[in-house]
Structure formats: structure tokens, C-alpha cells
Amino acid sequence: MGGRPGGGMGRGFRAVDEDAQRRQNQEAPKVENLGPRVVALFRPYRGRLATTAVLVIASAAVGVIPALLVQRVFDDALFPLEGGGPDLTLLAWLVGAMIGLFLLTALVDIARTWLTATVGNSVTGDLRVRLFEHLQAMDLGFFTRTKTGVIQSRLQNDVGGVSGVLTNTVTSVLGNTVTVISAIVAMVLIDWRLTLIAVVLMPVLALVQRRVGQVRARIAGQTQESLSELSAITQETLSVSGILLSKSFNRQRAESTRYAGENGRQIGLQVRLAMSGQGFFAVVHVLMSSVPAVIYLVSGYFIAGGVDTITAGTVVAFTTVQARLLQPLMGLMRVALDLQTSAALFARIFEYLDLTPAISDAANARPVTEAAGPLGRVEFRDVTFRYPDAAQEGRPTLDGVSFVAEPGQHVAFVGPSGAGKTTVLYLAPRLYEATGGEVLFAGEDVRALTHESIIDHVGIVSQETYLFHATIRENLRYARPDATDEQIEAACAAANIHHVIAGFEQGYDTVVGERGYRLSGGEKQRIAIARVLLKDPPVLLLDEATSALDTVSERVVQEALDEAARGRTTLSIAHRLSTVVGADVIHVVEHGRIVESGTHDELLAAGGLYAALAAEQLAAGRIEGLST
């Protein structure tokens, strides 16, 4: 319940589709000890929470006092029951007291709002960082199985809703309860007979307005879905890739028609939303107006019947207090759903926080610098691997793979698509855990080393280069934040890209655009190579780094890769065999096994799978220098 408890109509009442909300709550994961864990999140702020509770109670309780003063204003100051003219002195004191109470309530509300906003957003910030850090620690497999949108929803929507639990649920339940109790007590003190009449009418009024909210909420949900669809169309068609696609197929008119259609649906829903429940609103308006009218009528009968305890001040004060009951009453009708929704929100957050990363350091793990073997040595011993979501009865991705890459050696992996080449590169730095066998780094089992230190000694250049929407300099410093301009330029010179960057109007301060779209494929790849050179790792992993480039760009990038690989252990995957002709050892992978090994010349002479792949590519005119 947003806003101050007991506000006017439409304020403090959230119209939601309760049936849809309940269904969503039922789908929430089950988390043990959820209540104590939620309490633990707020424990560091318990002092502020206690102060907030006191302020909420005080604000709600003090809110009914002005209505009681109204009775004295009418009966003692304006129209004294003893007769005579207005008592201006008393009237001034009473009005001053009312204004003082209004001011006090406003100040209390400001303090309460500041406290709830501070605590709620502090807890939200703590939880968001905690969840983000936990997700950063998750293994690569988690992100291949989980949609990015789902992860973003947990971080933005679910965590973002935490502050609302305090500001919209906890304080509202407390404030509404105190408001209802204090208002009923005040009404009884004013006149118990009128209270009985109001208590009968108020639940009817609350139920009717609740029905109005339900109708509007369903249409609002459909409207929000339509807005999401409009956003999706915009994202798909107005992104760089989307606009290129629509222009290349001349589909701009079709996309505009699709957008116009959804926009028309949105307009219709907005009109329905504006008009929905107008009949109900009319009933609500009549009922709201009728309650005090009925009170006036009954009061008239009481006065006519000789009940002299009901005065004009009694009637005005009573209807003033009664008007405060509607919104808090409706709020309390939704307490169970609000608490259930809050619990579901926390359950979804804790579900992610309870995820255990598949890759974690052993208790006695040590850094790579303390490993027994030479730095840069990579070895697989009878390694078997099966992806977590793969069928257990099927063939494993890797089956008994063994090889050694000595420091400074270039070891290449070739073979048909799906043979398991990329998986080898995933296992070497322990981005995935081997199902069987051993993966050794610097002579030690990777499970005995800290994962962070392994990554510190590995550089990866993949087929899809990821650049941030930032300057070239900022993208390069991602690998080494403390790098000097001289070191950055040296790395770019080695990657054969410095002269290109120097030709840009803003040089290294050029913004590359989303995912680097302002640069060519070859330029992006060479910046990625420069980024790895700036890191200066002893082991380099190249995952088809030139497969998406044209022949000219491939040659330039390959020269940069050769420079980057000099003096480093290099494991490379290649689709174009021309890029691995000079490798020290080439392993041919098929169906998860190494079926051939040797140099380029040895494998050609063997006449096996490698020779067949070479002949196929040579016939297609895709490589040079494969024939001896």
C-alpha cells in the first residue's frame, strides 16, 4: 500500500489482478527458513526499523485527533451549546492545535518516508550486489542454460521490489491496522450508535472498490504485455543488427505494419483501461456520498427523537473520521496476498543465492605460481567430459582425450563441427569441470589450484569479439586497469592495429559503439588481441579467432595472432586449416576423441581425416599452402 495510510480514494490502493498474482506466487520456489533469512537481511538496520514503526504508529494514531477537535470547534467554539456567539479565543486555540497536528503529522511522514526509503533501498542495494557477485562466481554452464532475460529479471525486478516490501507492505499493514483501530475507537467515543451504522456500510463500500481494482488490473496487465511487445519489436528492428536485416530484405514496410498493429492494440487497451469500471466507479461514488448522507439522516431522526447527545459537531466529526476508514480497510483485506507476494519475491532471490557454482576452489587450493611444473604447461590425461544437461546414455562430448602442450608450444585442434574442439579450450582454464580424468595446468591438477590464478595466466580470443559501448582505451584497459598509454599503444602495435586507431579522429578515445559496430570485424578482432597482449598471459587460447573474417582481414589478424603467440603456450581451434599449418602439433578430433596427431606435413602424408579435410578445403579454394 503506497502513500500514507488512510489517504483519499485511489491513493494507497494498488489495483492488481489478484488471481494472476496468486498463480505467480504459487510458482515461486520453496526455500527453507525463508522468514529468518529475510529478517537477517534487515537486521543491520533494526534501529531504524524500530524508529520507523514508532513513527508509523504515531502518524496513524495522531491522524484521527483533528477530527475529534472538529467536534469541539463546532459545539464549543462556533456554535456553543450553552448559546451565545462564537468563542473566538477557544476557536483560535483549537484551529492552532489542528494546524499544529497537521504539521506534526507531515513532519512525521517525511521522517518515516526517509527512513523507509533509506532502509529499503540500502537492503536492495546490498542484495543486488550480493546477487551480482554470486552470479559472477557461477560456472559457464549456468549461463548457457539460463536465459539472460531471466537473470536480468531477478536482478532488476525481484531485487528491485525488496524496497517495496518495506515501504508498501510492512509499513502499510502496520499503519492501516493502527488507522482502522484508532478511527473505530474515535467513532465510538463520538457516538456508538452512528458507529454501528458506519461499520455496516463500510465493508460493502470496500468490497465494491476492490472489485473495481480487479477489473482495471486485468486490463492493465494486458496493457503492460502489449507495451512489452512494442518494446520487443523496437529492440528487434531498431538495433543495428535488426535494421541491417530489415533493410537487406526490404522489410521496413512490413516491420512498420507489425509495429502499427501492436500500437493499435495498445491504443484500444488504453481506452478500455480508461473506461473500465466506470459503472463501478459511479456506484462507488454514490456509496461514498451516501455513507455520510445516511449518517446525516439517522442523526436527524435521533435528534428529532430527543437524543440530545448528537450535535452538529458530532455529525461533522464522525463523518470526518469515517472517511479515513475506506482505504486502510481495503488494504487490510489484501494483507494475506501482500505477504504471500513478498515471500515469493524473496524466495526467487534466495533460489539464485542458494545456487552452488559447479566450479569452486578446494579448501587447500594454492595459486598457479606455487605449482610444481613449468608455467605454461597444459596437459590432459584421459579426460572425459559430458555437459550437465546432456543425456547420460549418449556419447560424451570428450572421451579419453590425452595430450601435452609444453611451454611456448603451439598445439592446434581441427576436426568436423561438433567434434569437441571448443570443449577442450573450456576445460583447460577450468571453465567447466572434467567428468573424468585429469586436466593439469603448470604440472598440477586444476582442481588443486585457485581458479582465479588460473584465469590470471590465460588469455582467450574467441570468434565472437565482445567490446563494450565505450572508448577503445576503456575496452583495452578492461584487461589491465592500471596500464599506461605507452603500454596500450605497444600492445596495439603488436596486434597490428595501432596505425588504424591513430587514424581515427579521436584516436584511442573513439567510442566503438554497441558491441563494437563502428569497427570492422578485423579491427574488432585485433583490438581483442591487443587486449590479451596487454594482459600478457603465458597461455593463449584461440577459438576460431579468424573464421568469421574475409581472406584479407584473416591474413592481417593471423599476423597479429602469430605475434601474440610468440613465446606463449598456444592452444588453437581452427576451421580454416591455413591458420594452423605452422603449428608444432595438430590434433585431429572426431566424435570426442583425438584420432590423429602430428605436424601438417605428417598428417597430409598419413592420408587420414586431416588429409581429407585439407583436400576438401583446397578443392573449395578456401586455403593456401596446404599442398606440399
Side-chain angles (χ1 to χ4, degrees):
M1 315 295 290
R4 178 171 163 236
M9 179 181 178
R11 197 181 71 172
F13 180 70
R14 289 169 296 152
V16 298
D17 188 341
E18 295 186 8
D19 292 335
Q21 185 66 65
R22 287 192 179 92
R23 287 194 297 271
Q24 183 177 350
N25 292 343
Q26 290 173 358
E27 296 172 359
K30 306 301 179 184
V31 177
E32 294 184 2
N33 302 317
L34 181 61
R37 295 180 70 179
V38 172
V39 171
L41 292 174
F42 291 90
R43 188 170 293 125
Y45 308 95
R46 54 185 176 273
R48 294 183 185 181
L49 288 174
T51 304
T52 301
V54 171
L55 293 177
V56 170
I57 293 173
S59 176
V62 171
V64 299
I65 297 178
L68 299 177
L69 294 179
V70 167
Q71 184 177 24
R72 292 207 60 195
V73 167
F74 274 81
D75 293 344
D76 298 336
L78 287 176
F79 312 107
L81 298 178
E82 296 80 6
D87 186 339
L88 296 181
T89 301
L90 178 59
L91 180 62
W93 277 105
L94 291 173
V95 171
M98 292 174 65
I99 294 175
L101 286 172
F102 292 146
L103 179 60
L104 176 62
T105 303
L107 293 175
V108 168
D109 283 348
I110 291 173
R112 174 187 60 81
T113 302
W114 181 82
L115 283 170
T116 54
T118 301
V119 174
N121 285 289
S122 295
V123 173
T124 298
D126 295 343
L127 199 55
R128 183 178 284 120
V129 171
R130 180 179 165 190
L131 181 57
F132 185 85
E133 290 178 345
H134 186 71
L135 290 171
Q136 287 281 323
M138 291 301 296
D139 57 286
L140 188 61
F142 167 78
F143 296 97
T144 60
R145 297 189 305 269
T146 310
K147 292 181 178 179
T148 304
V150 174
I151 298 174
Q152 290 176 342
S153 178
R154 296 294 169 97
L155 272 172
Q156 297 172 5
N157 300 335
D158 290 340
V159 177
V162 168
S163 61
V165 171
L166 181 61
T167 57
N168 293 334
T169 302
V170 178
T171 58
S172 292
V173 170
L174 182 60
N176 289 334
T177 302
V178 174
T179 298
V180 169
I181 293 173
S182 59
I184 291 177
V185 169
M187 289 164 64
V188 171
L189 291 175
I190 294 171
D191 192 278
W192 64 270
R193 290 158 297 196
L194 297 179
T195 302
L196 292 177
I197 298 172
V199 167
V200 171
L201 294 177
M202 288 302 296
V204 176
L205 183 59
L207 285 170
V208 171
Q209 185 162 352
R210 185 169 179 236
R211 175 59 180 167
V212 173
Q214 282 281 283
V215 172
R216 289 178 60 81
R218 289 191 178 93
I219 300 176
Q222 297 173 3
T223 304
Q224 191 61 40
E225 290 177 3
S226 177
L227 283 173
S228 299
E229 182 63 24
L230 277 176
S231 298
I233 294 174
T234 303
Q235 184 176 7
E236 288 175 359
T237 57
L238 296 185
S239 65
V240 176
S241 299
I243 204 70
L244 284 173
L245 182 66
S246 64
K247 285 182 177 295
S248 62
F249 285 95
N250 200 22
R251 296 282 295 175
Q252 299 99 311
R253 188 178 298 277
E255 295 297 344
S256 297
T257 301
R258 182 162 71 110
Y259 187 87
E262 189 60 42
N263 187 58
R265 178 170 178 262
Q266 172 66 204
I267 293 172
L269 287 169
Q270 291 286 1
V271 172
R272 285 182 60 197
L273 183 62
M275 295 302 298
S276 64
Q278 289 303 307
F280 284 120
F281 278 128
V283 173
V284 169
H285 180 72
V286 170
L287 285 175
M288 287 190 69
S289 303
S290 298
V291 171
V294 171
I295 297 297
Y296 298 151
L297 177 63
V298 173
S299 298
Y301 277 106
F302 281 154
I303 294 172
V307 180
D308 56 3
T309 57
I310 296 182
T311 64
T314 300
V315 175
V316 175
F318 188 89
T319 53
T320 301
V321 175
Q322 168 266 321
R324 290 179 53 85
L325 268 179
L326 178 62
Q327 297 302 328
L329 194 61
M330 287 191 300
L332 291 177
M333 293 172 67
R334 296 189 68 255
V335 167
L337 180 59
D338 281 344
L339 293 178
Q340 183 187 46
T341 301
S342 298
L345 180 148
F346 279 108
R348 288 191 293 271
I349 295 172
F350 281 117
E351 180 191 24
Y352 268 31
L353 286 174
D354 291 342
L355 292 173
T356 303
I359 308 296
S360 59
D361 291 340
N364 58 346
R366 55 186 185 278
V368 169
T369 52
E370 298 179 10
L375 191 62
R377 192 174 195 270
V378 178
E379 180 179 1
F380 278 40
R381 292 179 181 172
D382 196 27
V383 171
T384 301
F385 178 76
R386 189 189 304 273
Y387 283 97
D389 53 352
Q392 294 301 309
E393 64 274 9
R395 175 179 57 82
T397 305
L398 293 182
D399 188 8
V401 172
S402 299
F403 69 88
V404 177
E406 298 292 351
Q409 194 175 34
H410 181 187
V411 177
F413 297 86
V414 300
S417 297
K421 305 183 296 296
T422 298
T423 303
V424 172
L425 264 59
Y426 285 156
L427 294 180
R430 206 187 174 198
L431 295 178
Y432 282 97
E433 195 84 271
T435 307
E438 290 180 291
V439 177
L440 286 79
F441 194 93
E444 293 277 357
D445 192 314
V446 292
R447 291 167 290 193
L449 301 172
T450 61
H451 189 237
E452 183 177 337
S453 69
I454 295 174
I455 297 300
D456 282 341
H457 290 80
V458 173
I460 302 174
V461 180
S462 63
Q463 176 181 347
E464 289 191 23
T465 300
Y466 191 91
L467 297 180
F468 299 103
H469 184 66
T471 66
I472 294 174
R473 193 188 313 277
E474 289 168 332
N475 273 282
L476 291 167
R477 281 208 172 109
Y478 188 77
R480 188 176 169 185
D482 61 346
T484 65
D485 289 345
E486 291 75 16
Q487 290 170 330
I488 289 175
E489 291 177 10
C492 288
N496 201 16
I497 190 65
H498 172 69
H499 66 285
V500 176
I501 298 173
F504 294 152
E505 183 177 351
Q506 294 179 299
Y508 283 85
D509 293 320
T510 300
V511 176
V512 300
E514 185 180 356
R515 299 183 65 87
Y517 270 112
R518 293 184 63 184
L519 305 174
S520 70
E523 290 168 348
K524 287 192 294 184
Q525 199 68 300
R526 279 178 282 167
I527 288 177
I529 295 168
R531 188 162 56 187
V532 169
L533 288 173
L534 202 58
K535 183 180 181 182
D536 194 22
V539 176
L540 189 62
L541 307 179
L542 307 177
D543 186 5
E544 297 194 90
T546 63
S547 63
L549 304 178
D550 57 73
T551 304
V552 175
S553 297
E554 177 190 359
R555 185 177 296 111
V556 176
V557 172
Q558 189 59 49
E559 291 174 0
L561 288 172
D562 292 340
E563 177 64 28
R566 185 171 292 114
R568 309 175 200 274
T569 305
T570 303
L571 304 184
S572 67
I573 295 173
H575 182 67
R576 295 173 178 170
L577 302 185
S578 59
T579 60
V580 298
V581 169
D584 297 303
V585 181
I586 301 173
H587 296 298
V588 183
V589 183
E590 185 179 32
H591 301 313
R593 289 177 172 271
I594 294 178
V595 295
E596 290 181 305
S597 297
T599 64
H600 165 67
D601 292 336
E602 291 170 348
L603 291 172
L604 281 181
L609 179 58
Y610 182 86
L613 291 172
E616 179 182 314
Q617 293 192 15
L618 187 62
R622 297 174 64 182
I623 62 174
E624 301 173 1
L626 284 178
S627 58
T628 58

